[in-house]
Amino acid sequence: MTMKMTGGQILLDGLVKEGVDTIFGILGGAILPLYDTLPQFPQLHHVLVRHEQCAAHAAEGYARATGKVGVCFATSGPGATNLVTGIANAHLDSSPIVAITGQVARRFIGKDAFQEIDITGITLPITKHNYLVRDAASLAKILKEAFYIARTGRPGPVLVDVPKDVFNEQVEYHSPGKIDLTSYKTPLKGHPAQIQKAAALINGAQRPLIIAGRGVIISEASLELKELAERAQIPVVTTLLGLGSFPESHVLSYRWLGMHGMAYANMAVNTADLIIAIGMRFDDRATSEVNTFAPNASIIHIDIDPAEIGKNVRVDVPIVGDAKAVLTPLNKLVQPAQRMGWLQQLDEWRREHPSTDIRDSASVLPQYAIHQTYEATNGEATIVTGVGQNQMWAAQYYLYNRPNSFISSGGLGTMGFGLPASVGVKMGRPDLTVWCIDGDGSFQMTLHELATIVQEKLAIKIAIMNNGYLGMVRQWQELFHGKRYVATPLWGPDYVKLAEAYGIPGVRVRRREEVIPAIQQAMAYDGPFLIDFGIEPEENVYPIVPPGASLSEYLEIPEKEVAWQR
Amino acid sequence: MATIKHTLVALVENKPGVLNRVASLFRRRGFNIESITVGQSETPNVSRMTIVVDGTNTSVEQVRKQLDKLIETVKVTDITSDNIVLRELALIKVKATSANRSEIIQVVDIFRANIVDVSTDSLTVEVTGDEDKLNSLLNLLHTFGIKEMCRTGRIAMTRGNINEMGRRMSKQPESPES
């Protein structure tokens, strides 16, 4: 049984077969024939964003909230180049997205035609794989491969560039059949001998420490992680993107490590005699100076990507495999243990260096505003952040107990990620309470997505930590560049009036006592709501490990005279 | 750690853009490719690349793993420390006069190289061998004057029974790598 289909029909039919229900994009000349075909597929809901970068970020937010592959569309030329930042973000944070770009018709390729750009060339180093489709007959197979590559192994972005005339080309439709990618290997199960070695190290360790990364979340291995930690009484810290892989309210959680991580988590790393790193890649923001990282520890590294093993730190027992597939047999070999001394030591450090104190202040402190958001939402919201101080405070002053409850740009550090990513999260999971915690600098990079939020009627709560600075850079200027605030003072509009212009209600908060009522007002409102928190302009993020220092050389809040509250 | 010259053999699917993917990965990871040769292998639709790069063992192993991750690479092996046959071919156009032509031919004969073209004021020499042999011959021919020269870059193959494709088949994908 064969039938004639156009390239556009084959593509959209392929999306439906992959379980896609939502597409984020902006159309244009080269991709117009595909959009013209969209009404034939009512199962596919298209979300019109206001800039293609946000289509990719929204697709990533969608992917991270649902565990499915996110999809974005853009036209050729500027549409495609605008996607680049979003694709790079998904690449560095291992998020599965498939980007479909229109391309000029085949006879114009290579001629510098209007809106022609070599997007497969441009995205070569920032995609897991990409394709330039040469004929409609190959489209079904390419699309199936693209989704398979995006979601398997270490997930990542795949771009499929489709010339305009391929969308219109009529061909006999042939089912793509089974995936045949002989040269694409996805290791899953860890090597049994390595797992045994790891178990022996764990059973013999005095001061073991688990560092859990986003790989645990991707692999859905949180239960297995919990079993390992509880069974052998091993304390757990996470990376920034690993937040939520292990419940932060758990007695064995010592929260997260790194440049702005908890002092006690960093001390734990430097004191441990065994590091069990699971689904993380020893990023420099997590390890700080690698030569002084975990100086007393043997290291077990479990990761699905063989190229991550030994890339940044020496590893004693590497295990290449999927976190869940490795932890399941490992847990059977790990003996129950009591580690009272080690855990007491960590608790003592936590008491001495709590790292998340909030001082008394009549003005609005970002720490207080975020902590009150945590209280008001019962810790059950999904927090999507911008990049900078807002992101670090959001990570520090909200406790994450559920996988994917913290959605943030880690590897690329893309300012402007928050608002479009929250669009994707809310589209994918309308049942979730979504708060976008942003900075005024980050927010101003993608604030046009307010329009998308209104058009799609998304009840996203937006909290801007407004300090009138590019705050994180200002903090670096203060601490490391002699307080020379070059180009960091940042004028911004009246955000409440701005929101109002988009039809979004909001409030401006300038005093501490206004914080809780504002959060309650936002939660009570059935729809999007914006809070402009005018925070202490020169508030810093502490602790901070200065660049080039060891994790144990963190700086804490300098003024200790204030009353603490935890 | 000391850097040495590494010889990598990459078996890749013969598809458009693969050479670009491989070459750009070396650039991206900060390697200068000394030579790269591409041609058919014994398997249809699989091309064989021989890549020579300078680097430490750990940095080359890192780039080897990154190469192995490319969807279209079938297998990448660092055969530097294996027992291998290395060959390179060069064409060398040497200035020649009636006075020194026979002297040049003598040198060429010693190296078991061939004269493939003759003109009134030049000889073109074809030579095959390992790099040392080619360098020695070049050194000698320099005294006559070299008008033009091109070298193919290294191709390499492991001696004995091993075949790169077969080595792949026997390798377990989940085997530990350090």
Side-chain angles (χ1 to χ4, degrees), chain A residues 50-243:
Chain A
R50 298 302 186 270
H51 186 289
E52 289 86 351
Q53 180 190 343
C54 299
H57 287 329
E60 183 173 356
Y62 176 95
R64 282 160 81 164
T66 62
K68 292 161 60 177
V69 177
V71 178
C72 57
F73 283 2
T75 195
S76 66
T81 53
N82 278 349
L83 282 180
V84 167
T85 301
I87 291 172
N89 196 86
H91 183 62
L92 282 165
D93 287 352
S94 309
S95 296
I97 67 170
V98 168
I100 311 280
T101 47
Q103 181 56 280
V104 299
R106 282 169 289 185
R107 70 180 187 283
F108 292 115
I109 289 179
K111 308 276 170 60
D112 301 317
F114 177 65
Q115 292 194 329
E116 185 199 358
I117 204 76
D118 172 20
I119 195 61
T120 47
I122 289 172
T123 57
L124 200 69
I126 54 163
T127 48
K128 190 168 171 187
H129 196 51
N130 63 23
Y131 296 88
L132 172 60
V133 179
R134 277 150 214 284
D135 48 60
S138 61
L139 201 43
K141 180 168 172 284
I142 285 177
L143 201 71
K144 190 163 181 182
E145 282 182 13
F147 274 82
Y148 180 75
I149 290 169
R151 70 169 177 263
T152 53
R154 178 178 180 175
V158 179
L159 180 134
V160 182
D161 196 27
V162 188
K164 181 173 186 175
D165 57 328
V166 170
F167 290 127
N168 288 329
E169 191 189 358
Q170 282 230 341
V171 290
E172 289 288 333
Y173 176 77
H174 296 286
S175 162
K178 287 193 82 166
I179 296 276
D180 177 30
L181 286 166
T182 43
S183 50
Y184 175 61
K185 306 172 277 286
T186 50
L188 278 177
K189 290 201 287 188
H191 196 282
Q194 294 298 100
I195 292 175
Q196 272 176 2
K197 272 192 218 166
L201 272 184
I202 294 170
N203 292 335
Q206 301 297 309
R207 300 183 306 280
L209 178 73
I210 292 170
I211 305 179
R214 188 164 133 69
V216 173
I217 297 174
I218 295 170
S219 153
E220 297 180 355
S222 286
L223 277 180
E224 289 74 12
L225 170 62
K226 205 168 154 199
E227 190 190 329
L228 173 64
E230 286 175 352
R231 187 175 169 81
Q233 289 294 297
I234 306 172
V236 180
V237 301
T238 73
T239 64
L240 183 75
L241 288 188
L243 277 172

Side-chain angles (χ1 to χ4, degrees), chain A residues 124-125 128-130 134 149 154 181-185 187 189 191 194 305-307 309 311 318 320, chain B residues 13 16 20-21 24 28 62 65-66 68-74 168 172-178:
Chain A
L124 200 69
K128 190 168 171 187
H129 196 51
N130 63 23
R134 277 150 214 284
I149 290 169
R154 178 178 180 175
L181 286 166
T182 43
S183 50
Y184 175 61
K185 306 172 277 286
K189 290 201 287 188
H191 196 282
Q194 294 298 100
D305 181 354
I309 306 283
K311 187 179 79 175
V320 178
Chain B
E13 288 181 43
N20 186 18
R21 284 180 201 276
S24 91
R28 148 99 178 84
Q62 170 60 209
K65 287 174 174 176
Q66 298 287 356
D68 220 5
K69 267 167 69 176
L70 293 178
I71 306 293
E72 287 154 343
T73 56
V74 180
R168 179 183 82 92
Q172 297 199 344
E174 66 268 81
S175 68
E177 310 189 37
S178 51

Side-chain angles (χ1 to χ4, degrees), chain A residues 221-466:
Chain A
S222 286
L223 277 180
E224 289 74 12
L225 170 62
K226 205 168 154 199
E227 190 190 329
L228 173 64
E230 286 175 352
R231 187 175 169 81
Q233 289 294 297
I234 306 172
V236 180
V237 301
T238 73
T239 64
L240 183 75
L241 288 188
L243 277 172
S245 60
F246 188 76
E248 287 198 292
S249 312
H250 195 286
V251 66
L252 288 170
S253 168
Y254 293 85
R255 304 205 62 198
W256 54 284
L257 86 169
M259 180 173 272
H260 295 293
M262 305 303 121
Y264 47 89
N266 289 339
M267 290 162 93
V269 172
N270 269 25
T271 315
D273 67 350
L274 176 67
I275 299 282
I276 307 149
I278 311 171
M280 56 83 76
R281 61 183 176 89
F282 297 99
D283 173 77
D284 55 272
R285 284 296 191 271
T287 62
S288 205
E289 173 56 50
V290 281
N291 294 321
T292 55
F293 177 77
N296 305 304
S298 304
I299 297 179
I300 298 168
H301 189 190
I302 301 168
D303 202 282
I304 198 161
D305 181 354
E308 289 301 343
I309 306 283
K311 187 179 79 175
N312 294 341
V313 300
R314 61 184 165 83
V315 172
D316 299 282
V317 180
I319 306 178
V320 178
D322 169 75
K324 190 176 197 150
V326 171
L327 287 180
T328 306
L330 178 64
N331 284 346
K332 295 204 177 89
L333 301 173
V334 168
Q335 289 156 6
Q338 300 293 327
R339 303 183 201 275
M340 295 305 288
W342 174 224
L343 294 172
Q344 274 168 6
Q345 170 72 83
L346 294 182
D347 290 339
E348 194 181 313
W349 284 335
R350 178 158 52 189
R351 271 192 305 277
E352 288 167 3
H353 306 273
S355 297
T356 48
D357 296 318
I358 303 168
R359 68 175 186 277
D360 271 330
S361 168
S363 61
V364 180
L365 293 178
Q367 300 92 332
Y368 178 77
I370 290 165
H371 190 70
Q372 288 307 321
T373 308
Y374 168 74
E375 296 284 344
T377 56
N378 255 333
E380 285 162 5
T382 296
I383 303 296
V384 189
T385 77
V387 163
Q389 290 182 316
N390 66 86
Q391 175 186 31
M392 293 302 131
W393 287 317
Q396 289 176 332
Y397 290 88
Y398 203 99
L399 287 178
Y400 299 92
N401 290 324
R402 178 171 56 76
N404 296 314
S405 52
F406 176 76
I407 292 179
S408 195
S409 166
L412 194 63
T414 312
M415 286 175 67
F417 176 80
L419 203 60
S422 52
V423 167
V425 171
K426 192 68 182 170
M427 284 302 304
R429 289 288 306 273
D431 56 310
L432 295 177
T433 301
V434 178
W435 278 77
C436 173
I437 295 179
D438 220 335
D440 51 333
S442 207
F443 180 74
Q444 286 191 70
M445 287 197 176
T446 51
L447 64 83
H448 42 72
E449 293 311 312
L450 291 175
T452 310
I453 288 173
V454 174
Q455 188 162 347
E456 294 293 333
K457 303 186 177 64
L458 300 173
I460 294 166
K461 314 299 175 184
I462 302 154
I464 301 175
M465 302 297 135
N466 176 6

